[in-house]
Amino acid sequence: MIDIFVSLGDIFKILGDIFESLSDIFKISAVLHVYLQFTREFRCFTREFERFTREFALFTREFSCFTREFGIYS
């Protein structure tokens, strides 16, 4: 009878270890999800920033032509 309780105790300890491991896996999964979301947002930001810099370069080129045409020099 005592052996049964010891065996049940061992089983519950093993189950506890398994649930603790699953908890760690879920924590790691949550961290990876946040990291992937961040990298996705950062890629979007860099794409938009590249678009902005192209538009700004175009604007400065056109503004330079405009100032040259009207004899305005800085």
Side-chain angles (χ1 to χ4, degrees):
M1 192 70 155
I2 293 175
D3 291 337
I4 294 173
F5 289 119
V6 170
S7 297
L8 285 176
D10 290 342
I11 290 171
F12 284 125
K13 183 180 179 327
I14 291 169
L15 287 174
D17 291 343
I18 290 171
F19 285 124
E20 188 176 329
S21 296
L22 287 174
S23 174
D24 292 342
I25 290 170
F26 286 129
K27 288 176 190 173
I28 291 169
S29 174
V31 168
L32 287 175
H33 175 73
V34 169
Y35 172 75
L36 290 175
Q37 184 66 27
F38 169 76
T39 55
R40 200 174 300 128
E41 293 293 327
F42 189 73
R43 272 193 308 245
C44 182
F45 167 76
T46 54
R47 207 174 304 123
E48 290 297 320
F49 188 72
E50 287 173 358
R51 188 174 300 141
F52 166 77
T53 54
R54 280 194 304 272
E55 292 291 324
F56 188 72
L58 180 63
F59 166 77
T60 54
R61 228 176 290 128
E62 290 177 2
F63 187 74
S64 176
C65 290
F66 169 79
T67 56
R68 231 178 289 122
E69 188 173 314
F70 288 97
I72 306 170
Y73 299 101
S74 55

